[in-house]
Amino acid sequence: MKAKKIGAILLTAVTAVSLLAGCGAAAEDNQTETAEQTTQVEAREPEDTPDDSETENSGSAEEIARTETAGTGGNTLVVYFSATGNTEAVADVIAGAVGGDSFELKPVQPYSDDDLDWTDDNSRVTREHENENERNVELTAETVDNWDSYGTVFIGYPIWWGIAAWPVVGFVEANDFTGKTVIPFATSSSSGMGESGELLAELAGTGEWQEGQRFRSGVSEEDVQTWVEELGLSQ
Ligand SMILES: Cc1cc2nc3c(=O)[nH]c(=O)nc-3n(C[C@H](O)[C@H](O)[C@H](O)COP(=O)(O)O)c2cc1C
């Protein structure tokens, strides 16, 4: 009788311990799952863009435009506008690879983070986007020293609402590209070049404009260098 009682107590204790252990394992599983979910969400966040749903998703390094560069000789210039540094990073790699000069297009009134908030109906970019006559962005300089010495001009910009960010327009309109090979390039979160290059070529009215290339915002140096090598311009 005594032995039976001890057996019953032991059985109860063993059951209680295994139940507790089971709960612990379940709690651990939950924690692991939550941590994984958080990591995934964080990794996806930077991909959001104003018009992800509207524009074509293209432009990986594999989609390099087979640009027929005339290579008219002379020096190479890399002109760019960059609001948050992505296009500038690409411009730096191109300039380094071709041994060219750089020229940054700087708005007299630089774009603040608030100015660039495309989710705000009243932000500067949203107003400029909605009213074409507000897109004449004055630049600190729109002409380049020794312009005639450049046979090849790269021109870089971020994609804004599917087109070239408009601060490049003033430069394109102010210069004569006659006799020059012009190679547009852009960075964007997901949109392709779209017609951005063609529209700039129309505004310029001169120059041998090439198809150009779009890079994703955080493109690697290697991918940009590969593109420049394909153009046959790298040193
Ligand atoms: C006002 C605004 C509009 C944008 N529109 C687009 C767009 O239409 N498609 C896209 O893929 N990315 C869009 N983006 C993301 C930028 O193109 C991308 O972050 C780019 O690499 C920024 O270049 P930057 O750092 O040289 O300014 C937009 C960003 C801003 C600020």
Side-chain angles (χ1 to χ4, degrees), residues 6-27:
I6 290 169
I9 290 167
L10 271 176
L11 189 65
T12 313
V14 166
T15 311
V17 166
S18 56
L19 273 176
L20 278 174
C23 281

Side-chain angles (χ1 to χ4, degrees), residues 69 76-80 94-95 98 152-156 171 181-185 227-228 231 233:
T69 40
T76 299
L77 179 68
V78 183
V79 180
Y80 66 93
I94 297 173
V98 300
T152 303
V153 178
F154 286 84
I155 179 153
F171 173 84
T181 299
V182 189
I183 308 171
F185 66 96
W227 176 64
V228 177
L231 295 174
L233 290 173

Side-chain angles (χ1 to χ4, degrees), residues 148-207:
D148 290 346
S149 71
Y150 297 106
T152 303
V153 178
F154 286 84
I155 179 153
Y157 45 84
I159 296 290
W160 283 357
W161 280 283
I163 58 171
W166 33 95
V168 295
V169 167
F171 173 84
V172 166
E173 287 180 333
N175 289 281
D176 182 358
F177 295 87
T178 303
K180 300 186 195 302
T181 299
V182 189
I183 308 171
F185 66 96
T187 67
S188 76
S189 301
S190 60
S191 302
M193 288 288 277
E195 288 184 331
S196 62
E198 287 88 335
L199 292 174
L200 292 177
E202 258 173 50
L203 289 174
T206 52

